[in-house]
Amino acid sequence: MNYNETLDLLKKHGQTQLLRYYDELSDESKASLLSQIEKIDWSLLKLLDRKEMKVEKGVLSPLGALEIDEINARREEFEKVGIDALRHEKVGAVLLAGGQGTRLGFDGPKGTYPIGVTHELYIFQCLINNLTDVVKRVGAWVPLYIMTSEKNNDATVKFFNEHNFFGYDKDHVHFFIQEMAPSVGYDGKILLEAKDRISLSPNGNGGWFTSLVKAGYLDHMKENGVEWLTVFAVDNVCQRINDPAFVGATIASGRDCGAKVVAKANPTEKIGVLCLEDGKPSIVEYYEITDDMKNLRDERGELLYKFGVILNYMFKISKLEDILRQKMPVHVVEKKIPYIDENGEPVKPTEPNGYKFETLVLDMIHMMDSCLSFEVVREKEFAPVKNATGVDSVETARELLKKNGVQL
Ligand code: UTP
């Protein structure tokens, strides 16, 4: 598109601010900006009109979990299945590390955060150490796919190289880059992050399988006999990854996927609950369940909607292929988005100032026909680093790491 065509398009969408600095740019920057504008997915902006509308949920009902007592009683049986699959390298792992971690406010990929206190220990290192426990136990490497974004890929790859992959086998680590989406201010105008660059943010963690396939790794996995993938967040430093019990229980259940869950600390805890929606597995947010439902109890006095997800799942790859072309819901989320103002000055907001468009991995669960809900001990496996201080923070994660015997 040339300048005039681009201007017409922007007028049509009420977004001419994107060309505010055009005349000041070099020829190369001009061409680059026009090409970025050409790639904008305008359908995303229509979602802004509907962002206040509640998403209609189907009929919700409880989904029982495989609870800790039963897991312990059947641990040997599950681990046998898990170890067998892991030994044959049938289960890969996908680390979701494309997010921007704006709440933490750390300058660099979240995984490079030094969580150690008296010695060097990084978030990525904690995760690699946890995975390495499994590698040592089963005697086989786990193929690890790391999703980054354009914003943090170079820094992430460099960091892994500088630290010699924390002892993990380089040949079993594969990086792939997720896609981006434009970010807008509260007025719905797409922001500029530089005079020649529109503000783009990673488009959520829901596109991980599509991006993995686009990067050519589906063939790679098939050639190498990988049939299952676990998926986990970068920020939960304590979580066990590909542990044989979870892997084995999910495979043995014959279900399409598995999800690690923790018992809710109290009925109103702000955590997505795994349940059934119209008979299919689904994760509903704490604000989507009525107060009545939150407090419903069974004959044992246990909450019926008791189990919350911790972003640690396992999917059968053939089932993921089935949903590859299905459209996922896009969520409009409030975030702090750096931009340049009308004077061309960079602004780094301290409070949310606009919206990003994201698809979420939790929505994939509802696209599956069945899911094993697998309970884990919160104090052992749930220490997300979301904030610098307070709830789900560096402090709380350090405490839990220490409790679990990790030297900080
Ligand atoms: P979060 O929901 O915590 O989002 O991501 P975030 O963007 O990292 O952090 P905030 O909200 O800005 O503070 C949960 C997991 O999903 C990954 C993150 O890296 C984290 O592991 N993620 C998130 C992606 O891989 N890509 C995304 O676009 C968003």
Side-chain angles (χ1 to χ4, degrees):
M1 272 194 314
N2 62 28
Y3 174 81
N4 286 331
E5 287 163 346
T6 308
L7 185 61
D8 285 346
L9 179 73
L10 292 180
K11 277 186 185 156
K12 188 173 134 208
H13 291 287
Q15 299 281 349
T16 49
Q17 79 285 355
L18 294 180
L19 292 175
R20 183 179 283 141
Y21 303 103
Y22 186 80
D23 292 339
E24 298 176 29
L25 303 177
S26 67
D27 285 351
E28 200 184 325
S29 291
K30 281 179 176 163
S32 157
L33 182 61
L34 296 186
S35 136
Q36 292 165 51
I37 294 170
E38 190 169 4
K39 290 188 198 128
I40 293 173
D41 175 359
W42 297 103
S43 68
L44 290 175
L45 299 196
K46 295 210 178 81
L47 298 170
L48 292 171
D49 305 333
R50 285 189 277 135
K51 68 179 184 312
E52 309 298 349
M53 270 164 54
K54 268 178 95 177
V55 183
E56 284 305 320
K57 283 278 165 197
V59 179
L60 302 182
S61 55
L63 172 65
L66 191 56
E67 297 186 26
I68 288 162
D69 286 349
E70 188 178 350
I71 295 169
N72 285 339
R74 298 173 61 190
R75 185 167 292 278
E76 214 178 301
E77 166 198 340
F78 294 143
E79 288 195 341
K80 193 168 173 293
V81 178
I83 288 172
D84 184 60
L86 287 158
R87 214 163 255 165
H88 290 94
E89 295 194 23
K90 285 187 185 171
V91 193
V94 179
L95 164 53
L96 302 174
Q100 291 183 292
T102 52
R103 283 169 288 173
L104 181 62
F106 175 64
D107 210 9
K110 203 189 253 189
T112 66
Y113 187 88
I115 195 97
V117 180
T118 61
H119 69 108
E120 250 190 36
L121 180 70
Y122 302 95
I123 290 183
F124 278 139
Q125 190 175 3
C126 291
L127 301 175
I128 294 292
N129 288 349
N130 294 351
L131 188 56
T132 304
D133 286 347
V134 172
V135 169
K136 285 190 181 147
R137 181 157 178 218
V138 305
W141 292 103
V142 172
L144 174 63
Y145 303 89
I146 303 179
M147 181 164 88
T148 60
S149 78
E150 277 168 23
K151 302 256 182 201
N152 68 12
N153 182 66
D154 293 354
T156 305
V157 174
K158 188 164 167 262
F159 185 80
F160 269 90
N161 276 301
E162 277 169 3
H163 292 89
N164 198 21
F165 289 71
F166 300 105
Y168 209 79
D169 177 29
K170 247 177 147 164
D171 294 341
H172 279 83
V173 181
H174 314 280
F175 295 92
F176 66 102
I177 300 178
Q178 70 170 100
E179 270 143 63
M180 307 290 276
S183 335
V184 298
Y186 282 138
D187 56 3
K189 303 282 181 199
I190 297 174
L191 296 164
L192 280 172
E193 117 190 328
K195 290 183 176 177
D196 62 349
R197 250 190 359 258
I198 63 172
S199 169
L200 292 175
S201 315
N203 66 348
N205 56 29
W208 66 271
F209 189 64
T210 314
S211 300
L212 191 65
V213 173
K214 275 197 185 148
Y217 286 119
L218 184 58
D219 291 339
H220 181 268
M221 289 185 289
K222 284 185 175 166
E223 280 157 24
N224 289 286
V226 183
E227 293 172 13
W228 293 85
L229 283 173
T230 59
V231 187
F232 59 99
V234 71
D235 46 40
N236 185 4
V237 284
C238 282
Q239 66 191 322
R240 307 315 300 168
I241 303 157
N242 287 36
D243 44 315
F246 176 51
V247 167
T250 304
I251 295 175
S253 73
R255 303 195 189 176
D256 297 347
C257 65
K260 286 197 180 182
V261 296
V262 289
K264 280 168 76 169
N266 57 63
T268 52
E269 189 185 5
K270 293 180 175 171
I271 187 167
V273 167
L274 182 57
C275 58
L276 293 173
E277 180 185 350
D278 296 331
K280 285 181 74 173
S282 182
I283 292 157
V284 292
E285 292 294 354
Y286 64 94
Y287 51 81
E288 291 173 323
I289 303 189
T290 62
D291 284 345
D292 280 353
M293 285 168 93
K294 277 182 200 158
N295 289 297
L296 281 177
R297 291 184 186 268
D298 66 13
E299 59 285 353
R300 297 180 297 167
E302 298 287 347
L303 291 176
L304 274 174
Y305 293 93
K306 180 178 169 187
F307 295 106
V309 287
I310 61 166
L311 216 176
N312 189 311
Y313 305 107
M314 175 162 155
F315 291 94
K316 195 181 227 169
I317 295 175
S318 58
K319 295 292 170 186
L320 291 171
E321 282 184 82
D322 289 347
I323 61 161
L324 198 50
R325 263 158 272 286
Q326 278 181 37
K327 257 196 155 344
M328 293 187 71
V330 179
H331 299 255
V332 179
V333 265
E334 276 187 82
K335 295 263 180 172
K336 293 180 230 168
I337 307 157
Y339 65 100
I340 54 161
D341 64 16
E342 46 287 354
N343 304 315
E345 295 299 326
V347 182
K348 226 177 164 184
T350 51
E351 293 300 321
N353 61 318
Y355 302 108
K356 292 184 182 177
F357 301 93
E358 297 192 341
T359 58
L360 303 178
V361 60
L362 60 82
D363 286 317
M364 280 178 146
I365 295 291
H366 193 48
M367 297 161 104
M368 300 282 126
D369 289 326
S370 54
C371 177
L372 176 74
S373 179
F374 181 94
E375 187 186 9
V376 296
V377 181
R378 176 188 286 258
E379 291 72 26
K380 287 197 176 150
E381 291 220 29
F382 193 38
V385 180
K386 298 285 184 196
N387 307 299
T389 53
V391 182
D392 294 342
S393 64
V394 173
E395 294 161 358
T396 55
R398 280 186 177 143
E399 243 168 71
L400 217 60
L401 280 168
K402 275 196 233 157
K403 270 193 193 158
N404 283 293
V406 178
Q407 298 278 319
L408 292 181

